[in-house]
Amino acid sequence: MAVRVQREDFNIGRELDALTEGNPGIGGLCSFTGLVRDIHGDAGVSAMTLEHYPGMTEKMLLEIEAEANQRWPLEQTLIIHRYGRLLPGDRIVLVAAASAHREAAFEACHFLIDWLKTKAPFWKVEEDRSGEENWVQARASDDSAAERWNK
Amino acid sequence: MAVRVQREDFNIGRELDALTEGNPGIGGLCSFTGLVRDIHGDAGVSAMTLEHYPGMTEKMLLEIEAEANQRWPLEQTLIIHRYGRLLPGDRIVLVAAASAHREAAFEACHFLIDWLKTKAPFWKVEEDRSGEENWVQARASDDSAAERWNK
Amino acid sequence: MKVLYFAWLRQKIGVGEEQLDVPDTVATAGQLVDWLVARGQGYADAFQDMTAIKVAVNQEFADWDAAVTAGDEVAFFPPVTGG
Amino acid sequence: MKVLYFAWLRQKIGVGEEQLDVPDTVATAGQLVDWLVARGQGYADAFQDMTAIKVAVNQEFADWDAAVTAGDEVAFFPPVTGG
């Protein structure tokens, strides 16, 4: 189990390899990486900045991770989330779950990103090509994605 | 889109980085890695050998990949499956799907491995610690996992 | 009381964090908002649409009727958009 | 006709692939099994429990009543267990 909030980029391969290394009890590893897209709605995005709430962010990510480990039989979990200014194509977030079984790995990984999307205190502000700053609006689809795990 | 059937190991990081490189239309990348577990039921597994049907394997993997690309709006997909003798902890399979949207990436990745599990002509034979060879039995849970996509 | 503002609330209020002497009459997160709004136009602008604002007390999501006291850390922010 | 066997079918029959001159009376995958079983004990053992066996004709999954002809590639194997 690990949670990291950092300005720097991360190396997906190194992170995922470290999760399974030396643990032959793992049969499946599921990961999700979120990246900055260059198109958001109609306006081209030239950059975005991720603001967060230091202290609460780590606390919430640890809670989300602990909840996943309580719901599924997991061998390893990982959440890395960046903050600061990011460009299109940049990695934003990596979540991963490793388990003896494939379904548990998939569901836990999906759960991690869905809950993170609605519970971790990050806010995105996008710069479009004209230099305008726009705070990204929360999406109802993210709420309903998170809701499906409330059972 | 790419399908590879190979004896050699693969590097998860290199493969996943290559999928998103230079494509800022990708917002989410989901991957699943299957590994050899050292416990299978009660008997400890000391090694396993994966046999496959050269020709049909590639054909089926391409069909599965094409089906995923038809069902979801994907920017990239990847299936790598190894054959030959593997030890506990070794990587067996990597499937990945990249999309503008997180749900499409998750569902397509899940679909890829579920269909692969029931449609790609691979067979596992395990060696337990006493040197006995046991052909792995197909599991009903894999059939039902694949079935859920039949709609 | 330590009070924090994030995203466009921070921009409208002009400060991300402040240490405030809040009167004893302010007992809940909702009452804290009312008290802040009376402090100036920036606060009034920031808290204009309360449906777009979340509150956390001591780094946990809270309701508007959650208790707040002098030693607490209270944060206001829009719905989160990370990931 | 090119006939292939995989996994424990290959082990029981003792060969992974053979080129066979199949008589014209064998028109379906199921009839091919009957004809193979008559060839020897290894085949009879391999095809004892047909519920545990799948067939592919020209590298596509097929039914037991699928047509097979001289130029075809027919493969027999247990349910797949990759991934």
Side-chain angles (χ1 to χ4, degrees):
Chain A
M1 288 182 55
V3 155
R4 296 204 323 258
V5 182
Q6 63 188 44
R7 191 178 286 275
E8 318 81 66
D9 193 14
F10 48 82
N11 181 302
I12 298 178
R14 198 178 307 151
E15 300 298 341
L16 296 184
D17 289 351
L19 284 189
T20 58
E21 182 113 44
N23 184 347
I26 293 172
L29 166 66
C30 186
S31 80
F32 177 82
T33 308
L35 303 107
V36 181
R37 280 203 298 146
D38 69 346
I39 309 246
H40 193 279
D42 288 334
V45 171
S46 61
M48 71 158 56
T49 300
L50 266 150
E51 179 176 333
H52 77 114
Y53 181 174
M56 181 170 171
T57 309
E58 292 79 358
K59 190 176 173 179
M60 290 307 297
L61 295 183
L62 286 168
E63 283 182 23
I64 293 167
E65 189 180 50
E67 181 70 27
N69 279 275
Q70 197 165 36
R71 292 185 182 209
W72 291 278
L74 304 175
E75 297 286 328
Q76 282 284 356
T77 45
L78 174 68
I79 305 176
I80 304 177
H81 203 301
R82 294 176 70 188
Y83 61 89
R85 191 163 185 270
L86 300 173
L87 299 174
D90 280 354
R91 287 172 275 270
I92 303 170
V93 61
L94 173 67
V95 297
S99 172
H101 304 292
R102 153 171 122 262
E103 280 306 313
F106 258 105
E107 290 190 13
C109 184
H110 208 160
F111 169 86
L112 287 175
I113 189 69
D114 282 351
W115 268 35
L116 184 156
K117 280 259 176 196
T118 60
K119 294 176 199 292
F122 288 96
W123 302 274
K124 286 181 188 137
V125 60
E126 295 176 342
E127 303 160 35
D128 65 21
R129 296 206 171 90
S130 65
E132 283 284 302
E133 278 202 344
N134 299 295
W135 288 96
V136 174
Q137 300 258 329
R139 295 185 319 177
S141 63
D142 285 335
D143 286 334
S144 51
E147 282 289 330
R148 77 183 134 189
W149 302 105
N150 288 344
K151 44 190 177 186
Chain B
M1 287 183 56
V3 153
R4 297 205 320 259
V5 182
Q6 62 189 45
R7 191 178 286 275
E8 317 83 66
D9 193 12
F10 49 83
N11 181 303
I12 298 177
R14 199 177 308 150
E15 300 297 342
L16 296 185
D17 288 351
L19 284 188
T20 58
E21 183 115 41
N23 184 347
I26 293 172
L29 166 66
C30 185
S31 80
F32 178 81
T33 309
L35 303 108
V36 181
R37 280 204 297 146
D38 69 347
I39 308 246
H40 194 277
D42 287 336
V45 171
S46 60
M48 70 156 57
T49 300
L50 266 149
E51 178 175 334
H52 78 116
Y53 180 174
M56 181 169 171
T57 307
E58 292 80 357
K59 190 176 174 178
M60 290 306 298
L61 294 183
L62 285 169
E63 284 181 22
I64 293 166
E65 190 181 49
E67 181 70 26
N69 278 275
Q70 199 166 36
R71 292 185 181 209
W72 291 277
L74 304 175
E75 297 286 328
Q76 283 284 356
T77 46
L78 174 69
I79 304 176
I80 304 177
H81 203 300
R82 296 176 68 188
Y83 61 89
R85 189 162 185 271
L86 300 173
L87 300 174
D90 281 353
R91 285 172 277 269
I92 303 169
V93 62
L94 174 66
V95 297
S99 172
H101 303 291
R102 152 172 123 263
E103 279 308 311
F106 257 105
E107 290 188 13
C109 184
H110 208 160
F111 169 86
L112 288 174
I113 190 69
D114 282 350
W115 268 35
L116 184 157
K117 280 256 174 196
T118 60
K119 295 178 198 291
F122 287 95
W123 301 275
K124 286 183 186 133
V125 60
E126 295 176 341
E127 302 160 35
D128 65 21
R129 297 209 170 89
S130 65
E132 283 285 301
E133 278 200 347
N134 299 295
W135 289 96
V136 174
Q137 301 257 330
R139 295 185 317 175
S141 63
D142 285 334
D143 287 333
S144 51
E147 283 288 331
R148 76 183 136 188
W149 302 105
N150 289 344
K151 44 187 172 186
Chain C
M1 189 180 293
K2 185 176 173 183
V3 185
L4 297 94
Y5 314 102
F6 291 96
W8 50 261
L9 277 95
R10 175 179 50 72
Q11 290 182 322
K12 289 192 175 173
I13 293 169
V15 61
E17 180 179 331
E18 51 192 349
Q19 192 69 39
L20 296 172
D21 286 323
V22 176
D24 289 347
T25 51
V26 172
T28 68
Q31 288 166 356
L32 176 59
V33 171
D34 294 338
W35 183 77
L36 287 168
V37 163
R39 295 186 84 219
Q41 192 58 46
Y43 294 94
D45 287 350
F47 290 105
Q48 194 165 17
D49 178 9
M50 291 295 287
T51 64
I53 299 174
K54 305 276 185 182
V55 61
V57 177
N58 296 324
Q59 306 189 351
E60 290 284 354
F61 285 102
D63 296 321
W64 294 113
D65 55 5
V68 297
T69 55
D72 287 341
E73 174 175 316
V74 183
F76 298 101
F77 44 76
V80 305
T81 57
Chain D
M1 190 179 295
K2 185 176 171 183
V3 185
L4 298 95
Y5 315 102
F6 291 96
W8 49 260
L9 277 95
R10 175 179 50 73
Q11 290 181 323
K12 288 191 175 172
I13 292 168
V15 61
E17 177 178 334
E18 51 192 349
Q19 192 68 41
L20 296 171
D21 287 323
V22 177
D24 290 345
T25 50
V26 172
T28 68
Q31 288 165 357
L32 176 60
V33 171
D34 294 340
W35 182 78
L36 287 167
V37 162
R39 295 186 84 219
Q41 193 56 46
Y43 294 94
D45 287 349
F47 290 104
Q48 195 165 16
D49 177 10
M50 290 296 284
T51 64
I53 299 175
K54 305 275 184 184
V55 60
V57 178
N58 297 325
Q59 305 189 351
E60 291 282 354
F61 285 101
D63 297 322
W64 294 112
D65 56 6
V68 297
T69 55
D72 287 342
E73 175 175 314
V74 183
F76 299 101
F77 44 77
V80 304
T81 57

